[in-house]
Amino acid sequence: MPPRDRYDAVIVGGGHNGLVAAAYLARAGRTVLLLERLPTTGGAAVSSRPFAGVDARLSRYSYLVSLLPRKIVRELDLDFRVRTRTVSSYTPVERDGVPTGLLVGGGEARTKEAFARLTGGPGEYEAWREFYGMTGRVAQRVFPTLTEPLPTREALRERVGDDEAWRVLFEEPIGAAVEERFADDLVRGVVLTDALIGTFADAHDPSLRQNRCFLYHVIGGGTGDWNVPVGGMGALTGALAAAARAAGAELATDHEATRIDTDGTTAEVTYRTADREATVAARHVLVNASPQELAALLGDAPPTPAEGAQLKVNMLLERLPRLRDTSVDPHEAFAGTFHIAEGYGELATAYAQAASGELPAAPPSEIYCHSLTDPSILAPDLVERGYQTLTLFGLHTPARLFERDNDAVREELLKSTLAQLDGHLAEPIADCLATDAEGRPCIEAKTPLDLERDLRLPGGNIFHRDLAFPYAQGDTGRWGVETRHANVLLCGAGAVRGGGVSGVPGHNAAMAAMGE
């Protein structure tokens, strides 16, 4: 049990943002208690061995790091490294009965040639280069603001300093820019996918939730690079937990917070363990959980329900599958993002079918092979034998589709998703799967309802709720973590500038608690 009955800060939830907040506050000399209901810290940013008897440590839920500022790694002295994926993407397609595809990466000349071979000329490549040159400039200017007090909308627009970029990313549905700049359906789809990961929206959704998703996917690190954490996602949260403990924070696992009472100046947090219930007092309470969980702890009315819209599949292969497009080595194709059924028209059709309550007939998805970038997640004997991990992220599969029968719909969707992949392979993916100690194929799938059950993600939404533009709106507060109670702060993904594995809400909540 915690040795004190009063702390400067009590943090509810031991995900990566809670650990970031704990480390910052403890390093500043605050007394800190972190309460985590599970036996281990890390939340969704953990590594695990999901396949019995197989020494493969997969980043089971979240798997890439792009939004984590180097500032946080540096200031917390984290023993943590990332590796940048060498290839941007490969998108297979069949045209005129011939299997081909678009490989983006391997140098400018090779990428330019790949565009020309697919589209018949230089126009699409030039449009691509110009568009991502624009997003790169926006990334350089916007990303540093994530760990600063929230700018006003006009201040951020001035910082972007580009009226066209502001219009494209912040004011008009991203579909307009995609259709205006690109002519090829496949190229359009590849661009659009970053606006749809974990977000159920059409390219022309007037809410601009797709724009917000796109923005967070292209500004990471100020470059837009997607990085793989060396040793898996658990290496990050392990480093954060070590930093918090070294600074003096107390991390109490198997301690579930059940209630927060506050008068705005002091607070009491009620928690329970396997054998007792108790309370602890605090000057500040930082909640590393969803806005729904925050409301439940405070006894408030919950916010608008969130809804996730993804299928998460983890696989371990004995070998990478051969491709129908023999011009591309599988080790290149799977080293970045491998897009499946993600042409622009295919994405629109899948959205329309899901919005009408049907499973997409051709489910769009993308695959990442982390072990090509970081083989340390596999035991040496598996590396020597050529084993590889694959993580598949399916789009346009909102939680509502699984409510009638989660297990049956999961199985149906997994089957049709893998069928779309098989359409571009020279051998079925099932023939490449490794088997566990019980002889079962090494594959697992998670629906939004599974994520809600396992991780308390509301509706299975990986961002906790719709992402927000990174500027102040209404009563968002100085840091975007404030609540209606002066001494209760939200430091989870549902904060303004939350979502993804970034540590940004944890940093910002710590700054708010310290009066920065």
Side-chain angles (χ1 to χ4, degrees):
M1 303 301 292
R4 304 169 183 259
D5 57 12
R6 181 175 298 274
Y7 291 81
D8 292 322
V10 170
I11 299 172
V12 176
H16 79 284
N17 280 307
L19 293 169
V20 167
Y24 269 107
L25 290 169
R27 287 169 70 94
R30 295 340 193 238
T31 55
V32 179
L33 171 66
L34 182 146
L35 302 172
E36 168 54 49
R37 69 181 178 89
L38 297 175
T40 60
T41 57
V46 293
S47 299
S48 62
R49 294 174 173 83
F51 307 122
V54 182
D55 192 3
R57 290 173 290 113
L58 277 62
S59 297
R60 196 171 193 179
Y61 299 107
S62 54
Y63 34 85
L64 293 173
V65 173
S66 132
L67 291 167
L68 175 68
R70 293 187 183 92
K71 164 188 168 70
I72 291 177
V73 176
R74 182 179 64 252
E75 290 179 348
L76 297 183
D77 297 322
L78 298 182
D79 182 14
F80 171 72
R81 295 178 296 122
V82 297
R83 290 180 183 158
T84 301
R85 297 186 308 182
T86 56
V87 177
S88 175
S89 69
Y90 173 70
T91 309
V93 69
E94 184 175 300
R95 291 200 169 163
D96 299 323
V98 178
T100 183
L102 178 64
L103 181 68
V104 177
E108 182 176 353
R110 190 175 182 195
T111 300
K112 184 176 182 179
E113 191 277 330
F115 270 90
R117 185 174 64 250
L118 180 75
T119 66
E124 293 293 270
Y125 173 72
E126 293 304 322
W128 176 281
R129 189 174 66 168
E130 179 182 328
F131 182 75
Y132 284 104
M134 176 190 71
T135 64
R137 292 188 294 273
V138 171
Q140 291 175 352
R141 296 161 189 173
V142 171
F143 188 73
T145 71
L146 299 187
T147 50
E148 299 171 0
L150 267 174
T152 64
R153 186 176 189 274
E154 286 308 311
L156 187 65
R157 180 171 186 167
E158 183 176 345
R159 190 137 172 184
V160 168
D162 183 330
D163 288 343
E164 180 185 8
W166 185 265
R167 174 178 61 82
V168 165
L169 297 177
F170 292 85
E171 293 185 342
E172 296 179 355
I174 193 70
V178 172
E179 293 171 13
E180 176 185 328
R181 285 165 170 75
F182 303 99
D184 187 88
D185 181 85
L186 191 73
V187 176
R188 285 178 170 182
V190 173
V191 175
L192 182 64
T193 55
D194 279 339
L196 305 178
I197 298 171
T199 298
F200 187 55
D202 180 71
H204 293 277
D205 193 315
S207 74
L208 302 187
R209 61 169 59 93
Q210 73 279 26
N211 288 51
R212 287 170 258 152
C213 183
F214 184 85
L215 182 71
Y216 283 94
H217 279 92
V218 299
I219 64 172
T223 63
D225 287 341
W226 284 95
N227 298 320
V228 174
V230 175
M233 196 61 74
L236 169 60
T237 45
L240 286 169
R245 287 193 182 96
E250 297 165 25
L251 310 185
T253 56
D254 290 312
H255 284 58
E256 181 177 8
T258 59
R259 182 178 176 86
I260 298 171
D261 293 289
T262 180
D263 61 8
T265 302
T266 60
E268 277 194 345
V269 180
T270 302
Y271 64 89
R272 64 185 172 213
T273 64
D275 55 9
R276 63 173 293 195
E277 183 174 273
T279 61
V280 62
R283 289 175 54 198
H284 285 93
V285 180
L286 285 67
V287 180
N288 179 204
S290 70
Q292 278 83 356
E293 288 290 317
L294 172 64
L297 289 166
L298 290 168
D300 292 343
T304 302
E307 183 180 40
Q310 68 284 318
L311 178 74
K312 177 78 190 303
V313 183
N314 291 314
M315 293 176 267
L316 179 67
L317 308 183
E318 292 183 344
R319 65 184 184 281
L320 289 177
R322 293 176 288 111
L323 304 176
R324 291 183 62 211
D325 178 6
T326 57
S327 69
V328 178
D329 187 316
H331 289 78
E332 270 193 309
F334 286 101
T337 303
F338 191 107
H339 298 278
I340 307 158
E342 290 191 330
Y344 198 68
E346 290 173 310
L347 289 167
T349 298
Y351 173 79
Q353 290 173 337
S356 69
E358 302 173 6
L359 282 176
S365 62
E366 41 203 60
I367 287 179
Y368 317 93
C369 180
H370 297 155
S371 52
L372 285 173
T373 303
D374 176 29
S376 73
I377 62 175
L378 299 177
D381 68 304
L382 297 182
V383 175
E384 186 177 344
R385 291 155 62 187
Y387 279 48
Q388 302 287 354
T389 65
L390 287 186
T391 295
L392 182 147
F393 195 95
L395 308 183
H396 287 336
T397 54
R400 69 190 81 158
L401 299 181
F402 301 89
E403 290 174 351
R404 61 179 173 85
D405 189 333
N406 187 45
D407 292 342
V409 177
R410 184 199 307 112
E411 189 64 28
E412 180 182 353
L413 180 61
L414 177 61
K415 182 178 179 180
S416 57
T417 298
L418 295 182
Q420 290 300 311
L421 170 60
D422 282 347
H424 300 290
L425 304 181
E427 55 183 329
I429 191 68
D431 289 356
C432 302
L433 289 173
T435 54
D436 68 11
E438 308 293 329
R440 297 169 299 200
C442 291
I443 183 169
E444 67 166 6
K446 300 284 186 180
T447 72
L449 299 190
D450 295 327
L451 298 183
E452 183 173 46
R453 179 198 63 219
D454 295 347
L455 300 172
R456 294 191 179 175
L457 298 180
N461 191 309
I462 60 174
F463 307 130
H464 290 188
R465 60 180 172 186
D466 286 343
L467 293 166
F469 282 123
Y471 53 70
Q473 300 180 67
D475 58 353
T476 46
R478 173 173 167 80
W479 286 97
V481 298
E482 293 81 356
T483 73
R484 67 185 183 89
H485 302 285
N487 63 340
V488 178
L489 305 167
L490 179 64
C491 69
V496 180
R497 302 182 293 189
V501 178
S502 71
V504 168
H507 168 276
N508 293 346
M511 296 304 107
M514 292 188 289
E516 296 294 329

